[in-house]
Amino acid sequence: MELAVIVVGAGTAGMPCAITLAEHGVQVAVLEKADNVGGALHLSAGQMSAAGSRLQRSKGIEDSPEHHLADVMRLGHGKADPAIVRLAVEEAGASIDWLEELGFPFPDDQPIIYYGHDPYTRARTYWGVELGISVLNTVQPRFEELVAEGSIDLRLGHRLTDLLVEDGRVVGVRAETTDGTVELRSEAVVLTTGGYAANRALFDRLHPGLHVLLGARETSQGEGLLAAQRIGAGFRGAEHHLSTVGGIETELGQGTSNLWEALGNTNANNRVAREIYVNPAGRRYVAEDEPSQDVQERALQAEGGLIWFVFDETAIDEDEPLVMGWSAEMLREQAAAGEGAWVADGIAELARRAGIDPAGLERTVGEWNAACAAGSDPLGRKALDHPIRTGPFYAVRSEGITVISFGGVTVDGELRVTREGGAAIPGLYAAGEVIGAGATMGDGFCSGMCVTPAISLGRLLGRRLAAQVGAAPMLAE
Ligand SMILES: Cc1cc2nc3c(=O)[nH]c(=O)nc-3n(C[C@H](O)[C@H](O)[C@H](O)COP(=O)(O)OP(=O)(O)OC[C@H]3O[C@@H](n4cnc5c(N)ncnc54)[C@H](O)[C@@H]3O)c2cc1C
């Protein structure tokens, strides 16, 4: 019997979903707009988190999905969707086991407690040496095996434009290809099209006035979300948006950043700040050695997202650079050229060049130097051994950066896409970032809580749909 599911998007969630469907004997077509599979995994750090994996147990780490759920709800300030997080964390251990079976190269020391975000209470974070590419290199061979044997009908270069609806039910999709428009019909459609954190217009509409550099893969345009909204799907979670601190614009004037090329190292767990951080008024707003990334992120957001790192010549250290990806020589060159960094012999001139209020910056530097001399900072910073006194003086412009989108389509506990009132849209399902990172993380960062839920909910949906689409037919163009 031929059963039909269309999975839209061959990325982190879509590939595991399609693999699971195919392994259960379901006829599945995968539509992918790009000319390759993998989605965000090409760029992602690929960190995952899971309680109860074989690997974690073998290390004698006591953990459970309950603990993971509690940590996520705490770190996300109670804003994550507990039903979705529960589904994700209960499946996460099995996802890690699955990756292990497929040969994922787990480093010996994992899982660990990761301090790049505010930490979990247990060691449950994992990633491969090649980051997201390690996940891709593990999943893609199995996916391609199923494509090669005809169990998955992969259609690259197919961009979903619309969901087809008949009598209130999603019955297929319309897609653009280089040869024109095609319509495909199926019993169920799964949206795994990822987020919208590369879509400037959409982002700015949702977050007017906020300075955010977009750092997602260019495929993350929110097209699946928008197609679902056009047929009445609900939307939630954008209000949970939180930018990461330290964004450096890598293509000047474009509002984008590749964090692997340049990122301010503001994490006090890795590096003690030798700079002060100031807003456009030249005012400090946070203790720069504040160890909680969450506190730093919220403080930045409250300032509107645009800051400068200000420091003097003595703060430049080749071994511990402020901007990861910039050598001291690069920093000096960029500053001399005025390309996102500036240098001057005086503080007021530096401020004028960088676009900071000169009087405000002069006042702040004076206060900062006095705090260093007194050994006490009104903002509570403990590292007071870098007064800003020895010219030349430097400023590096930084904005919040986002690699993910917090908003997404509303889904119920069955991962059915729902309308605003909560009723499920028959035939339409979603997993991955299209449901919004806010659903799985709330309004904070929880290590691994995008990649792992994408894989886990993709697989879970694959199993559930395989059980449901048992009776009806066809995939027809
Ligand atoms: C730099 C960076 C670092 C990150 N680090 C981490 C991390 O360490 N841990 C973590 O948990 N998360 C991390 N994330 C986020 C995480 O990688 C993503 O949330 C997750 O991979 C998204 O999976 P997905 O399946 O929803 O989307 P994707 O993997 O992006 O897949 C979506 C696919 O759908 C396709 N598509 C989109 N629109 C259409 C359309 N209209 N028609 C057809 N196909 C379409 C895309 O081309 C893509 O292939 C990071 C992201 C980035 C960018």
Side-chain angles (χ1 to χ4, degrees):
M1 190 182 336
E2 201 173 276
L3 304 170
V5 178
I6 296 173
V7 176
V8 190
T12 321
M15 283 192 294
C17 182
I19 290 171
T20 310
L21 284 161
E23 286 177 344
H24 282 77
V26 176
Q27 168 80 30
V28 52
V30 178
L31 268 53
E32 168 56 56
K33 69 176 176 179
D35 58 8
N36 61 2
V37 300
L41 291 175
H42 289 277
L43 192 60
S44 176
Q47 291 190 341
M48 299 172 281
S49 57
S53 68
R54 271 194 305 266
L55 187 60
Q56 195 195 38
R57 280 199 305 276
S58 75
K59 302 281 172 77
I61 300 161
E62 279 188 30
D63 200 3
S64 68
E66 274 316 315
H67 289 310
H68 195 177
L69 174 68
D71 271 349
V72 169
M73 295 312 289
R74 171 178 58 82
L75 294 168
H77 309 94
K79 305 279 174 47
D81 179 333
I84 298 299
V85 177
R86 181 175 288 284
L87 283 183
V89 297
E90 285 182 348
E91 188 71 20
S95 294
I96 296 294
D97 292 352
W98 179 64
L99 291 175
E100 192 185 23
E101 284 154 23
L102 291 176
F104 189 89
F106 289 105
D108 288 343
D109 62 344
Q110 290 184 7
I112 62 163
I113 296 184
Y114 176 68
Y115 291 91
H117 304 300
D118 279 12
Y120 289 135
T121 51
R122 321 267 163 134
R124 65 168 83 93
T125 298
Y126 321 64
W127 70 95
V129 284
E130 290 185 87
L131 311 175
I133 294 292
S134 290
V135 180
L136 180 57
N137 286 346
T138 303
V139 176
Q140 189 177 355
R142 178 62 186 140
F143 182 78
E144 285 180 346
E145 203 172 33
L146 291 161
V147 172
E149 71 183 37
S151 304
I152 294 174
D153 175 5
L154 172 64
R155 297 173 185 225
L156 296 174
H158 279 56
R159 190 172 74 84
L160 167 82
T161 55
D162 295 291
L163 294 159
L164 304 179
V165 180
E166 282 173 12
D167 300 328
R169 180 182 183 87
V170 170
V171 294
V173 301
R174 185 174 300 123
E176 274 176 10
T177 74
T178 48
D179 297 329
T181 301
V182 295
E183 288 190 0
L184 300 170
R185 295 175 66 86
S186 64
E187 192 177 347
V189 172
V190 180
L191 287 177
T192 51
T193 43
Y196 56 84
N199 184 333
R200 173 55 72 184
L202 179 55
F203 212 90
D204 286 351
R205 179 153 62 77
L206 292 168
H207 307 284
L210 188 64
H211 283 272
V212 190
L213 298 174
L214 301 185
R217 191 178 185 231
E218 72 286 353
T219 47
S220 299
Q221 296 291 333
E223 290 157 349
L225 162 69
L226 294 171
Q229 281 189 295
R230 282 196 295 277
I231 64 156
F235 176 72
R236 67 171 169 182
E239 70 280 12
H240 298 329
H241 171 84
L242 191 62
S243 301
T244 299
V245 181
I248 303 287
E249 197 173 33
T250 40
E251 281 189 55
L252 290 181
Q254 299 301 306
T256 56
S257 178
N258 180 330
L259 54 73
W260 304 117
E261 287 177 21
L263 182 69
N265 189 354
T266 58
N267 187 332
N269 300 294
N270 300 333
R271 175 184 184 274
V272 179
R274 296 188 290 271
E275 305 77 21
I276 58 170
Y277 307 166
V278 301
N279 65 12
R283 191 173 44 78
R284 289 175 65 224
Y285 62 93
V286 73
E288 294 83 354
D289 58 357
E290 163 60 53
S292 163
Q293 286 298 99
D294 188 66
V295 170
Q296 294 240 12
E297 285 149 3
R298 274 161 212 290
L300 174 69
Q301 195 135 308
E303 295 298 321
L306 172 62
I307 59 162
W308 287 260
F309 305 124
V310 175
F311 50 99
D312 73 5
E313 183 63 30
T314 68
I316 298 178
D317 182 336
E318 187 72 63
D319 294 330
E320 275 203 320
L322 163 67
V323 179
M324 295 183 285
W326 285 8
S327 64
E329 191 190 346
M330 270 180 78
L331 167 62
R332 289 196 171 92
E333 277 173 16
Q334 305 254 135
E339 291 177 350
W342 295 267
V343 60
D345 289 332
I347 294 295
E349 181 56 22
L350 177 72
R352 267 188 291 276
R353 289 181 186 176
I356 311 167
D357 176 63
L361 187 61
E362 276 197 313
R363 189 168 47 249
T364 296
V365 170
E367 287 167 2
W368 168 244
N369 290 345
C372 291
S376 168
D377 173 34
L379 290 180
R381 172 163 162 177
K382 295 182 188 64
L384 299 171
D385 48 356
H386 274 92
I388 300 175
R389 268 202 298 252
T390 311
F393 303 103
Y394 295 85
V396 172
R397 180 182 156 115
S398 175
E399 291 177 56
I401 171 173
T402 194
V403 297
I404 53 172
S405 39
F406 283 72
V409 290
T410 50
V411 289
D412 65 12
E414 306 289 315
L415 300 173
R416 295 180 297 191
V417 176
T418 54
R419 298 184 187 281
E420 253 162 45
I425 300 175
L428 187 61
Y429 301 80
E433 206 182 306
V434 68
I435 69 169
T440 54
M441 300 201 307
D443 66 357
F445 288 95
C446 310
S447 140
M449 278 307 283
C450 288
V451 167
T452 337
I455 296 171
S456 299
L457 299 182
R459 296 180 74 230
L460 181 67
L461 203 42
R463 282 205 310 277
R464 287 188 173 172
L465 280 176
Q468 278 170 32
V469 294
M474 94 270 139
L475 177 68
E477 246 172 81

